[in-house]
Amino acid sequence: MTAFAINPPETPSIAIEGDKKRFPVRRIFCVGRNYAAHAREMGADPDREPPFIFMKPADAVCDDGGTIPYPPLTNDLHHEIELVIALSKGGSNISEEEALGHVWGYGVGLDMTRRDLQAEAKKKGRPWDWGKGFDHSAICAALRPIVDNGHPESGRIWLNVNDVHRQEGDLGDQIWKPAEIIAFCSRSVRLEPGDLIMTGTPEGVGAVVEGDRLVGGIDGIGEINVTIGNQQA
């Protein structure tokens, strides 16, 4: 047995719908600008260039259904609703034809973004980490295994803030589909069981403030809801 100098941290995890067991999270990969309309609203070219991948730490993940604190160092916290892929099987150089065989299930997630910090990093040509990888920045509703759902190819994806409609799209509008994203990532790093992939957001992203309630969903996958609490000291 390996001896550690300090107690190892607890494994981050996500709830599973209808199950007391939880899904362990190893890494969180995120796809940027995967819907053409969102790419345009962020000032980018929506042509089918190779996927842009960034990451969040595994312990940025948190369950929905409660209140998360407004993060520090920002005055411009944005919501981005996304399809989340959960992997049960790893591998390198996975083919697109075999990619979906590596999927355990799917969920609805929120990629929360400190947009002002991200914009500053973009302007200076620096990494996005501080704008994307903070505490509670990867909110995820309970996952659904594919045995219940199959693999979604289309379906409405939407988000309301305080009952006001903000985001709307369809999974069929994704520039890069789940199988393509999995195959692409596996050519750069070896994917492993427990990896999550957040697949990008449709247009309509915007700021939230303390007290806002976010409710959204993806047809056939589920719904997510969370309240923004007071700012962390």
Side-chain angles (χ1 to χ4, degrees):
M1 178 180 290
T2 302
F4 295 100
I6 63 172
N7 291 330
E10 186 176 334
T11 301
S13 63
I14 302 173
I16 298 170
E17 188 172 277
D19 198 328
K20 292 182 179 179
K21 295 191 293 291
R22 295 180 63 85
F23 187 88
V25 177
R26 186 174 186 271
R27 292 173 294 188
I28 305 174
F29 299 92
C30 305
V31 183
R33 300 189 292 264
N34 198 28
Y35 291 77
H38 173 59
R40 293 190 188 96
E41 76 177 348
M42 298 305 294
D45 185 345
D47 287 343
R48 195 176 158 88
E49 60 185 13
F52 175 76
I53 307 295
F54 61 93
M55 296 185 70
K56 293 175 181 275
D59 61 4
V61 77
C62 63
D63 291 327
D64 78 326
T67 298
I68 64 161
Y70 192 100
L73 302 180
T74 185
N75 294 305
D76 196 20
L77 178 67
H78 279 214
H79 56 76
E80 299 188 10
I81 189 151
E82 312 202 357
L83 173 71
V84 178
I85 304 170
L87 300 183
S88 59
K89 182 180 175 183
S92 299
N93 297 310
I94 300 167
S95 70
E96 291 179 18
E97 293 74 22
E98 296 177 335
L100 296 183
H102 294 249
V103 176
W104 183 90
Y106 297 91
V108 184
L110 283 166
D111 165 14
M112 303 303 292
T113 302
R114 295 193 283 201
R115 191 71 75 197
D116 43 1
L117 299 190
Q118 183 194 34
E120 181 181 3
K122 285 182 178 180
K123 185 166 60 176
K124 295 180 178 179
R126 295 176 177 175
W128 294 4
D129 301 51
W130 234 224
K132 286 286 191 178
F134 51 95
D135 296 339
H136 309 104
S137 62
I139 308 165
C140 195
L143 297 173
R144 289 187 179 182
I146 55 172
V147 291
D148 295 341
N149 262 36
H151 299 284
E153 297 181 359
S154 62
R156 178 179 175 244
I157 177 171
W158 57 276
L159 181 76
N160 294 342
V161 177
N162 300 326
D163 298 322
V164 176
H165 199 53
R166 287 277 189 93
Q167 289 189 261
E168 177 84 28
D170 192 281
L171 296 182
D173 297 333
Q174 290 181 321
I175 298 169
W176 293 91
K177 311 303 183 188
E180 296 172 316
I181 295 167
I182 294 167
F184 177 85
C185 289
S186 76
R187 292 197 291 271
S188 180
V189 298
R190 178 179 173 82
L191 296 176
E192 298 291 352
D195 286 342
L196 300 182
I197 303 175
M198 302 186 78
T199 60
T201 196
E203 65 178 320
V205 300
V208 292
V209 298
E210 296 174 359
D212 280 350
R213 182 168 179 259
L214 286 61
V215 178
I218 302 174
D219 288 355
I221 301 296
E223 292 194 358
I224 191 169
N225 72 86
V226 69
T227 299
I228 307 298
N230 295 332
Q231 188 165 34
Q232 290 176 313

